[in-house]
């Protein structure tokens, strides 16, 4: 059943691209958004477009990146002409870098002992969940580097491993907030990613499709609960320096 478009969290930038229109006018509040795509498919660019659009519409956003520092994030946003500096200074945007590549620390602080339980620390980071929208790019890196999750996966108990974080996510979205997760499905077993696919209210798959000698990007809309206006099954797009996300009018076959 559709909900009123005025209830949606608009992705904004209607004068620059048609992404908000193509996605039916915005994201329903109280949603989990799952964005899947292989390496290089454009997950970070899409999450950056979402974050900028939400901020421009007056929503507060937390972006947690496992790959970018605040400096490289601002460089990327600048290259896409998504001016994020003022939003950071005005505290519309909270940017966090999850440093999990060296010693598996979450906040960059070295501690004695075993590898950190990243999901536990994620859930206990209260400030990041105060925003209306929380974007985690890329979520699979946190799952893969969390020793507790990893141990349960080795015991073929992926669903139990996912249960605690999913319960936490449901508590967060019950407050009308939006959680967006980007995931590279090639890095996780089907059983590990399955529970997150099952709970996603909005499920988008980013693909690169060969058309002749051309490679085109498309967003396949696999699920969109609580949509406003009609949402298309697939949305062709490109990522352009100095412009950002551009919705392509040509169909992608």
């Amino acid at each position: 059943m559709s909900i009123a478009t005025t209830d949606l969290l608009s992705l904004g930038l209607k004068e620059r691209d048609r992404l908000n229109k193509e996605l039916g006018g915005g994201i329903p509040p109280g949603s989990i958004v799952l964005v899947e795509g292989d390496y290089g498919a454009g997950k970070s660019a899409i999450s950056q477009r979402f974050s900028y659009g939400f901020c421009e519409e007056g929503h507060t956003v937390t972006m947690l990146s496992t790959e970018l520092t605040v400096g490289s994030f601002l460089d990327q946003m600048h290259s896409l002409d998504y001016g994020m500096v003022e939003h950071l200074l005005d505290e519309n945007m909270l940017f966090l870098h999850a440093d999990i590549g060296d010693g598996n620390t979450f906040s960059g602080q070295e501690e004695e002992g075993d590898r950190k339980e990243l999901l536990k620390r994620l859930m206990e980071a209260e400030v990041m969940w105060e925003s209306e929208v929380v974007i985690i790019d890329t979520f699979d890196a946190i799952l893969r580097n969390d020793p507790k999750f990893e141990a349960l996966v080795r015991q073929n108990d992926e669903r139990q491993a996912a249960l605690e974080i999913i319960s936490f996510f449901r508590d967060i979205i019950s407050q009308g907030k939006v959680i967006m997760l980007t995931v590279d499905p090639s890095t996780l077993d089907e059983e590990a990613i399955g529970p997150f696919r099952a709970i996603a209210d909005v499920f988008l798959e980013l693909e690169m499709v060969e058309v002749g000698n051309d490679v085109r990007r498309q967003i396949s809309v696999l699920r969109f609960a609580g949509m406003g206006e009609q949402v298309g099954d697939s949305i062709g797009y490109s990522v352009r320096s100095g412009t950002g996300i551009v919705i392509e009018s040509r169909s992608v076959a």
Side-chain angles (χ1 to χ4, degrees), residues 54-183:
F54 282 135
C55 284
E56 287 287 286
E57 289 295 302
H59 302 300
T60 54
V61 179
T62 294
M63 166 78 83
L64 174 69
S65 174
T66 62
E67 298 176 348
L68 301 177
T69 63
V70 65
S72 54
F73 170 71
L74 287 174
D75 286 345
Q76 255 190 42
M77 296 297 276
H78 178 71
S79 73
L80 298 172
D81 196 25
Y82 295 151
M84 192 55 81
V85 174
E86 285 192 14
H87 288 304
L88 282 166
L89 293 175
D90 292 341
E91 299 185 352
N92 299 326
M93 156 69 78
L94 171 64
F95 181 85
L96 301 170
H97 169 56
D99 184 6
I100 60 176
D102 182 14
N104 296 297
T105 59
F106 183 66
S107 62
Q109 296 178 346
E110 297 291 344
E111 297 180 14
E112 297 295 329
D114 297 329
R115 291 169 55 191
K116 310 304 176 296
E117 292 187 7
L118 298 177
L119 291 171
K120 182 172 182 288
R121 297 182 68 175
L122 183 75
M123 290 185 282
E124 291 176 349
E126 295 181 8
V127 174
M128 71 171 285
W129 301 104
E130 293 176 0
S131 300
E132 294 171 80
V133 180
V134 179
I135 301 172
I136 303 178
D137 178 43
T138 54
F139 185 58
D140 60 275
I142 292 175
L143 293 180
R144 286 183 285 107
N145 285 281
D146 183 276
K148 184 176 178 182
F149 189 90
E150 186 182 62
L152 286 168
V153 167
R154 283 201 302 268
Q155 297 166 25
N156 295 318
D157 201 0
E158 290 90 345
R159 292 189 178 277
Q160 178 59 37
L163 192 60
E164 185 178 1
I165 186 69
I166 285 174
S167 176
F168 175 79
F169 285 162
R170 284 182 169 146
D171 286 344
I172 295 293
I173 65 170
S174 71
Q175 305 169 36
K177 300 185 178 188
V178 170
I179 297 174
M180 177 177 175
L181 309 171
T182 72
V183 174

